[in-house]
PDB file of all heavy atoms in Angstrom:
ATOM      1  N   MET A 228       0.939 -18.058   6.628  1.00 59.00           N
ATOM      2  CA  MET A 228      -0.364 -17.858   7.245  1.00 59.00           C
ATOM      3  C   MET A 228      -1.465 -17.981   6.204  1.00 59.00           C
ATOM      4  O   MET A 228      -1.345 -17.479   5.097  1.00 59.00           O
ATOM      5  CB  MET A 228      -0.417 -16.483   7.915  1.00 59.00           C
ATOM      6  CG  MET A 228      -1.679 -16.229   8.717  1.00 59.00           C
ATOM      7  SD  MET A 228      -1.633 -14.629   9.562  1.00 59.00           S
ATOM      8  CE  MET A 228      -0.281 -14.915  10.702  1.00 59.00           C
ATOM      9  N   GLY A 229      -2.538 -18.669   6.581  1.00 82.00           N
ATOM     10  CA  GLY A 229      -3.682 -18.798   5.688  1.00 82.00           C
ATOM     11  C   GLY A 229      -3.751 -20.133   4.980  1.00 82.00           C
ATOM     12  O   GLY A 229      -4.781 -20.484   4.428  1.00 82.00           O
ATOM     13  N   TYR A 230      -2.646 -20.902   4.973  1.00 90.00           N
ATOM     14  CA  TYR A 230      -2.632 -22.202   4.299  1.00 90.00           C
ATOM     15  C   TYR A 230      -1.911 -23.225   5.171  1.00 90.00           C
ATOM     16  O   TYR A 230      -0.940 -22.908   5.851  1.00 90.00           O
ATOM     17  CB  TYR A 230      -1.942 -22.106   2.935  1.00 90.00           C
ATOM     18  CG  TYR A 230      -2.741 -21.278   1.953  1.00 90.00           C
ATOM     19  CD1 TYR A 230      -2.522 -19.913   1.835  1.00 90.00           C
ATOM     20  CD2 TYR A 230      -3.738 -21.859   1.168  1.00 90.00           C
ATOM     21  CE1 TYR A 230      -3.263 -19.135   0.967  1.00 90.00           C
ATOM     22  CE2 TYR A 230      -4.485 -21.099   0.293  1.00 90.00           C
ATOM     23  CZ  TYR A 230      -4.249 -19.740   0.194  1.00 90.00           C
ATOM     24  OH  TYR A 230      -4.991 -18.971  -0.660  1.00 90.00           O
ATOM     25  N   LEU A 231      -2.425 -24.439   5.130  1.00 91.00           N
ATOM     26  CA  LEU A 231      -1.827 -25.541   5.869  1.00 91.00           C
ATOM     27  C   LEU A 231      -1.152 -26.507   4.906  1.00 91.00           C
ATOM     28  O   LEU A 231      -1.645 -26.748   3.807  1.00 91.00           O
ATOM     29  CB  LEU A 231      -2.900 -26.289   6.674  1.00 91.00           C
ATOM     30  CG  LEU A 231      -3.717 -25.472   7.677  1.00 91.00           C
ATOM     31  CD1 LEU A 231      -4.806 -26.347   8.279  1.00 91.00           C
ATOM     32  CD2 LEU A 231      -2.821 -24.905   8.759  1.00 91.00           C
ATOM     33  N   LEU A 232      -0.048 -27.063   5.345  1.00 94.00           N
ATOM     34  CA  LEU A 232       0.662 -28.085   4.575  1.00 94.00           C
ATOM     35  C   LEU A 232       0.570 -29.391   5.346  1.00 94.00           C
ATOM     36  O   LEU A 232       1.089 -29.512   6.467  1.00 94.00           O
ATOM     37  CB  LEU A 232       2.120 -27.674   4.375  1.00 94.00           C
ATOM     38  CG  LEU A 232       2.984 -28.616   3.538  1.00 94.00           C
ATOM     39  CD1 LEU A 232       2.445 -28.723   2.111  1.00 94.00           C
ATOM     40  CD2 LEU A 232       4.425 -28.125   3.500  1.00 94.00           C
ATOM     41  N   LEU A 233      -0.135 -30.368   4.774  1.00 95.00           N
ATOM     42  CA  LEU A 233      -0.342 -31.654   5.425  1.00 95.00           C
ATOM     43  C   LEU A 233       0.390 -32.731   4.634  1.00 95.00           C
ATOM     44  O   LEU A 233       0.472 -32.663   3.400  1.00 95.00           O
ATOM     45  CB  LEU A 233      -1.836 -31.987   5.487  1.00 95.00           C
ATOM     46  CG  LEU A 233      -2.764 -30.875   6.005  1.00 95.00           C
ATOM     47  CD1 LEU A 233      -4.215 -31.300   5.873  1.00 95.00           C
ATOM     48  CD2 LEU A 233      -2.423 -30.504   7.435  1.00 95.00           C
ATOM     49  N   GLU A 234       0.913 -33.748   5.319  1.00 96.00           N
ATOM     50  CA  GLU A 234       1.635 -34.812   4.613  1.00 96.00           C
ATOM     51  C   GLU A 234       1.503 -36.134   5.349  1.00 96.00           C
ATOM     52  O   GLU A 234       1.212 -36.180   6.547  1.00 96.00           O
ATOM     53  CB  GLU A 234       3.109 -34.445   4.444  1.00 96.00           C
ATOM     54  CG  GLU A 234       3.851 -34.276   5.753  1.00 96.00           C
ATOM     55  CD  GLU A 234       5.345 -34.171   5.552  1.00 96.00           C
ATOM     56  OE1 GLU A 234       5.919 -35.012   4.819  1.00 96.00           O
ATOM     57  OE2 GLU A 234       5.949 -33.253   6.130  1.00 96.00           O
ATOM     58  N   ALA A 235       1.745 -37.197   4.590  1.00 97.00           N
ATOM     59  CA  ALA A 235       1.757 -38.548   5.150  1.00 97.00           C
ATOM     60  C   ALA A 235       2.636 -39.415   4.269  1.00 97.00           C
ATOM     61  O   ALA A 235       2.849 -39.120   3.086  1.00 97.00           O
ATOM     62  CB  ALA A 235       0.346 -39.125   5.232  1.00 97.00           C
ATOM     63  N   THR A 236       3.151 -40.501   4.844  1.00 97.00           N
ATOM     64  CA  THR A 236       4.036 -41.413   4.122  1.00 97.00           C
ATOM     65  C   THR A 236       3.546 -42.841   4.313  1.00 97.00           C
ATOM     66  O   THR A 236       3.149 -43.229   5.421  1.00 97.00           O
ATOM     67  CB  THR A 236       5.489 -41.288   4.618  1.00 97.00           C
ATOM     68  OG1 THR A 236       5.929 -39.937   4.469  1.00 97.00           O
ATOM     69  CG2 THR A 236       6.416 -42.197   3.811  1.00 97.00           C
ATOM     70  N   GLY A 237       3.574 -43.624   3.237  1.00 96.00           N
ATOM     71  CA  GLY A 237       3.124 -45.007   3.300  1.00 96.00           C
ATOM     72  C   GLY A 237       3.718 -45.834   2.175  1.00 96.00           C
ATOM     73  O   GLY A 237       4.532 -45.348   1.385  1.00 96.00           O
ATOM     74  N   PRO A 238       3.322 -47.101   2.077  1.00 96.00           N
ATOM     75  CA  PRO A 238       3.935 -48.002   1.099  1.00 96.00           C
ATOM     76  C   PRO A 238       3.581 -47.689  -0.350  1.00 96.00           C
ATOM     77  O   PRO A 238       4.350 -48.006  -1.255  1.00 96.00           O
ATOM     78  CB  PRO A 238       3.402 -49.383   1.505  1.00 96.00           C
ATOM     79  CG  PRO A 238       2.152 -49.098   2.279  1.00 96.00           C
ATOM     80  CD  PRO A 238       2.374 -47.802   2.963  1.00 96.00           C
ATOM     81  N   ASP A 239       2.421 -47.098  -0.599  1.00 94.00           N
ATOM     82  CA  ASP A 239       2.033 -46.728  -1.962  1.00 94.00           C
ATOM     83  C   ASP A 239       1.061 -45.552  -1.877  1.00 94.00           C
ATOM     84  O   ASP A 239       0.674 -45.118  -0.785  1.00 94.00           O
ATOM     85  CB  ASP A 239       1.408 -47.914  -2.718  1.00 94.00           C
ATOM     86  CG  ASP A 239       0.230 -48.532  -1.981  1.00 94.00           C
ATOM     87  OD1 ASP A 239      -0.596 -47.774  -1.428  1.00 94.00           O
ATOM     88  OD2 ASP A 239       0.132 -49.765  -1.952  1.00 94.00           O
ATOM     89  N   PHE A 240       0.651 -45.028  -3.045  1.00 95.00           N
ATOM     90  CA  PHE A 240      -0.163 -43.822  -3.056  1.00 95.00           C
ATOM     91  C   PHE A 240      -1.510 -44.041  -2.383  1.00 95.00           C
ATOM     92  O   PHE A 240      -1.944 -43.223  -1.559  1.00 95.00           O
ATOM     93  CB  PHE A 240      -0.381 -43.343  -4.492  1.00 95.00           C
ATOM     94  CG  PHE A 240      -1.295 -42.146  -4.584  1.00 95.00           C
ATOM     95  CD1 PHE A 240      -0.822 -40.874  -4.305  1.00 95.00           C
ATOM     96  CD2 PHE A 240      -2.633 -42.290  -4.934  1.00 95.00           C
ATOM     97  CE1 PHE A 240      -1.659 -39.767  -4.363  1.00 95.00           C
ATOM     98  CE2 PHE A 240      -3.475 -41.187  -5.002  1.00 95.00           C
ATOM     99  CZ  PHE A 240      -2.984 -39.933  -4.716  1.00 95.00           C
ATOM    100  N   THR A 241      -2.187 -45.130  -2.710  1.00 94.00           N
ATOM    101  CA  THR A 241      -3.539 -45.351  -2.197  1.00 94.00           C
ATOM    102  C   THR A 241      -3.546 -45.456  -0.671  1.00 94.00           C
ATOM    103  O   THR A 241      -4.346 -44.797   0.011  1.00 94.00           O
ATOM    104  CB  THR A 241      -4.138 -46.626  -2.812  1.00 94.00           C
ATOM    105  OG1 THR A 241      -4.197 -46.475  -4.236  1.00 94.00           O
ATOM    106  CG2 THR A 241      -5.543 -46.874  -2.282  1.00 94.00           C
ATOM    107  N   ARG A 242      -2.640 -46.255  -0.103  1.00 96.00           N
ATOM    108  CA  ARG A 242      -2.629 -46.419   1.348  1.00 96.00           C
ATOM    109  C   ARG A 242      -2.132 -45.161   2.062  1.00 96.00           C
ATOM    110  O   ARG A 242      -2.580 -44.847   3.171  1.00 96.00           O
ATOM    111  CB  ARG A 242      -1.777 -47.637   1.709  1.00 96.00           C
ATOM    112  CG  ARG A 242      -2.513 -48.955   1.460  1.00 96.00           C
ATOM    113  CD  ARG A 242      -1.699 -50.159   1.829  1.00 96.00           C
ATOM    114  NE  ARG A 242      -0.716 -50.480   0.811  1.00 96.00           N
ATOM    115  CZ  ARG A 242       0.055 -51.576   0.842  1.00 96.00           C
ATOM    116  NH1 ARG A 242      -0.045 -52.428   1.849  1.00 96.00           N
ATOM    117  NH2 ARG A 242       0.926 -51.804  -0.128  1.00 96.00           N
ATOM    118  N   THR A 243      -1.230 -44.422   1.403  1.00 96.00           N
ATOM    119  CA  THR A 243      -0.787 -43.158   1.996  1.00 96.00           C
ATOM    120  C   THR A 243      -1.921 -42.145   2.011  1.00 96.00           C
ATOM    121  O   THR A 243      -2.123 -41.421   2.998  1.00 96.00           O
ATOM    122  CB  THR A 243       0.410 -42.593   1.211  1.00 96.00           C
ATOM    123  OG1 THR A 243       1.459 -43.561   1.171  1.00 96.00           O
ATOM    124  CG2 THR A 243       0.930 -41.329   1.865  1.00 96.00           C
ATOM    125  N   MET A 244      -2.682 -42.083   0.922  1.00 95.00           N
ATOM    126  CA  MET A 244      -3.811 -41.167   0.871  1.00 95.00           C
ATOM    127  C   MET A 244      -4.873 -41.557   1.902  1.00 95.00           C
ATOM    128  O   MET A 244      -5.480 -40.675   2.546  1.00 95.00           O
ATOM    129  CB  MET A 244      -4.413 -41.143  -0.540  1.00 95.00           C
ATOM    130  CG  MET A 244      -5.562 -40.166  -0.713  1.00 95.00           C
ATOM    131  SD  MET A 244      -5.141 -38.456  -0.279  1.00 95.00           S
ATOM    132  CE  MET A 244      -4.009 -38.052  -1.617  1.00 95.00           C
ATOM    133  N   ASN A 245      -5.084 -42.846   2.090  1.00 95.00           N
ATOM    134  CA  ASN A 245      -6.027 -43.291   3.120  1.00 95.00           C
ATOM    135  C   ASN A 245      -5.575 -42.843   4.510  1.00 95.00           C
ATOM    136  O   ASN A 245      -6.387 -42.410   5.336  1.00 95.00           O
ATOM    137  CB  ASN A 245      -6.170 -44.814   3.091  1.00 95.00           C
ATOM    138  CG  ASN A 245      -6.940 -45.290   1.874  1.00 95.00           C
ATOM    139  OD1 ASN A 245      -7.691 -44.533   1.269  1.00 95.00           O
ATOM    140  ND2 ASN A 245      -6.762 -46.555   1.524  1.00 95.00           N
ATOM    141  N   LEU A 246      -4.262 -42.926   4.754  1.00 96.00           N
ATOM    142  CA  LEU A 246      -3.729 -42.485   6.041  1.00 96.00           C
ATOM    143  C   LEU A 246      -3.922 -40.983   6.214  1.00 96.00           C
ATOM    144  O   LEU A 246      -4.321 -40.512   7.300  1.00 96.00           O
ATOM    145  CB  LEU A 246      -2.239 -42.841   6.135  1.00 96.00           C
ATOM    146  CG  LEU A 246      -1.483 -42.295   7.355  1.00 96.00           C
ATOM    147  CD1 LEU A 246      -2.068 -42.852   8.646  1.00 96.00           C
ATOM    148  CD2 LEU A 246       0.006 -42.623   7.246  1.00 96.00           C
ATOM    149  N   LEU A 247      -3.664 -40.217   5.163  1.00 96.00           N
ATOM    150  CA  LEU A 247      -3.820 -38.767   5.242  1.00 96.00           C
ATOM    151  C   LEU A 247      -5.276 -38.396   5.496  1.00 96.00           C
ATOM    152  O   LEU A 247      -5.582 -37.526   6.323  1.00 96.00           O
ATOM    153  CB  LEU A 247      -3.321 -38.123   3.949  1.00 96.00           C
ATOM    154  CG  LEU A 247      -3.233 -36.592   3.924  1.00 96.00           C
ATOM    155  CD1 LEU A 247      -2.273 -36.093   4.989  1.00 96.00           C
ATOM    156  CD2 LEU A 247      -2.794 -36.109   2.547  1.00 96.00           C
ATOM    157  N   GLN A 248      -6.186 -39.065   4.787  1.00 93.00           N
ATOM    158  CA  GLN A 248      -7.613 -38.801   4.992  1.00 93.00           C
ATOM    159  C   GLN A 248      -8.039 -39.146   6.418  1.00 93.00           C
ATOM    160  O   GLN A 248      -8.811 -38.408   7.054  1.00 93.00           O
ATOM    161  CB  GLN A 248      -8.442 -39.636   4.002  1.00 93.00           C
ATOM    162  CG  GLN A 248      -8.288 -39.230   2.546  1.00 93.00           C
ATOM    163  CD  GLN A 248      -9.317 -38.193   2.128  1.00 93.00           C
ATOM    164  OE1 GLN A 248      -9.847 -37.445   2.930  1.00 93.00           O
ATOM    165  NE2 GLN A 248      -9.590 -38.137   0.832  1.00 93.00           N
ATOM    166  N   ALA A 249      -7.517 -40.256   6.935  1.00 94.00           N
ATOM    167  CA  ALA A 249      -7.936 -40.727   8.256  1.00 94.00           C
ATOM    168  C   ALA A 249      -7.428 -39.839   9.380  1.00 94.00           C
ATOM    169  O   ALA A 249      -8.038 -39.792  10.464  1.00 94.00           O
ATOM    170  CB  ALA A 249      -7.448 -42.162   8.474  1.00 94.00           C
ATOM    171  N   THR A 250      -6.339 -39.114   9.156  1.00 93.00           N
ATOM    172  CA  THR A 250      -5.732 -38.310  10.217  1.00 93.00           C
ATOM    173  C   THR A 250      -5.924 -36.809  10.002  1.00 93.00           C
ATOM    174  O   THR A 250      -5.329 -36.004  10.717  1.00 93.00           O
ATOM    175  CB  THR A 250      -4.223 -38.616  10.309  1.00 93.00           C
ATOM    176  OG1 THR A 250      -3.611 -38.388   9.026  1.00 93.00           O
ATOM    177  CG2 THR A 250      -3.997 -40.055  10.720  1.00 93.00           C
ATOM    178  N   THR A 251      -6.760 -36.428   9.038  1.00 90.00           N
ATOM    179  CA  THR A 251      -7.046 -35.022   8.782  1.00 90.00           C
ATOM    180  C   THR A 251      -8.388 -34.681   9.415  1.00 90.00           C
ATOM    181  O   THR A 251      -9.359 -35.430   9.269  1.00 90.00           O
ATOM    182  CB  THR A 251      -7.096 -34.749   7.260  1.00 90.00           C
ATOM    183  OG1 THR A 251      -5.831 -35.089   6.685  1.00 90.00           O
ATOM    184  CG2 THR A 251      -7.395 -33.288   6.973  1.00 90.00           C
ATOM    185  N   PRO A 252      -8.491 -33.553  10.135  1.00 86.00           N
ATOM    186  CA  PRO A 252      -9.727 -33.240  10.873  1.00 86.00           C
ATOM    187  C   PRO A 252     -10.921 -32.904   9.993  1.00 86.00           C
ATOM    188  O   PRO A 252     -12.030 -32.780  10.499  1.00 86.00           O
ATOM    189  CB  PRO A 252      -9.323 -32.027  11.720  1.00 86.00           C
ATOM    190  CG  PRO A 252      -8.169 -31.414  11.004  1.00 86.00           C
ATOM    191  CD  PRO A 252      -7.443 -32.550  10.382  1.00 86.00           C
ATOM    192  N   ARG A 253     -10.718 -32.735   8.704  1.00 88.00           N
ATOM    193  CA  ARG A 253     -11.808 -32.473   7.774  1.00 88.00           C
ATOM    194  C   ARG A 253     -11.630 -33.365   6.546  1.00 88.00           C
ATOM    195  O   ARG A 253     -10.522 -33.800   6.230  1.00 88.00           O
ATOM    196  CB  ARG A 253     -11.829 -31.007   7.323  1.00 88.00           C
ATOM    197  CG  ARG A 253     -12.016 -29.989   8.446  1.00 88.00           C
ATOM    198  CD  ARG A 253     -13.437 -30.006   8.990  1.00 88.00           C
ATOM    199  NE  ARG A 253     -13.641 -28.937   9.954  1.00 88.00           N
ATOM    200  CZ  ARG A 253     -13.392 -29.022  11.236  1.00 88.00           C
ATOM    201  NH1 ARG A 253     -12.875 -30.145  11.740  1.00 88.00           N
ATOM    202  NH2 ARG A 253     -13.629 -28.007  12.046  1.00 88.00           N
ATOM    203  N   THR A 254     -12.706 -33.596   5.824  1.00 91.00           N
ATOM    204  CA  THR A 254     -12.637 -34.386   4.594  1.00 91.00           C
ATOM    205  C   THR A 254     -11.908 -33.592   3.514  1.00 91.00           C
ATOM    206  O   THR A 254     -12.187 -32.414   3.300  1.00 91.00           O
ATOM    207  CB  THR A 254     -14.053 -34.739   4.099  1.00 91.00           C
ATOM    208  OG1 THR A 254     -14.720 -35.499   5.110  1.00 91.00           O
ATOM    209  CG2 THR A 254     -13.993 -35.544   2.814  1.00 91.00           C
ATOM    210  N   LEU A 255     -10.966 -34.232   2.825  1.00 94.00           N
ATOM    211  CA  LEU A 255     -10.242 -33.575   1.743  1.00 94.00           C
ATOM    212  C   LEU A 255     -11.101 -33.552   0.484  1.00 94.00           C
ATOM    213  O   LEU A 255     -11.626 -34.588   0.050  1.00 94.00           O
ATOM    214  CB  LEU A 255      -8.929 -34.307   1.463  1.00 94.00           C
ATOM    215  CG  LEU A 255      -7.882 -34.279   2.584  1.00 94.00           C
ATOM    216  CD1 LEU A 255      -6.661 -35.103   2.199  1.00 94.00           C
ATOM    217  CD2 LEU A 255      -7.473 -32.848   2.904  1.00 94.00           C
TER     218      LEU A 255
END
């Protein structure tokens, strides 16, 4: 409680991070 664990998987770090940013309800 109090913390969220978010994750995403993709072909490389940059595109995976873009996917995580795009599907997260707030800006990281």
Side-chain angles (χ1 to χ4, degrees):
M228 186 177 295
Y230 292 91
L231 303 175
L232 182 62
L233 312 174
E234 62 169 312
T236 303
D239 55 42
F240 176 79
T241 300
R242 283 181 281 186
T243 304
M244 183 56 69
N245 288 339
L246 173 62
L247 188 61
Q248 292 269 25
T250 56
T251 300
R253 299 288 186 272
T254 300
L255 294 177

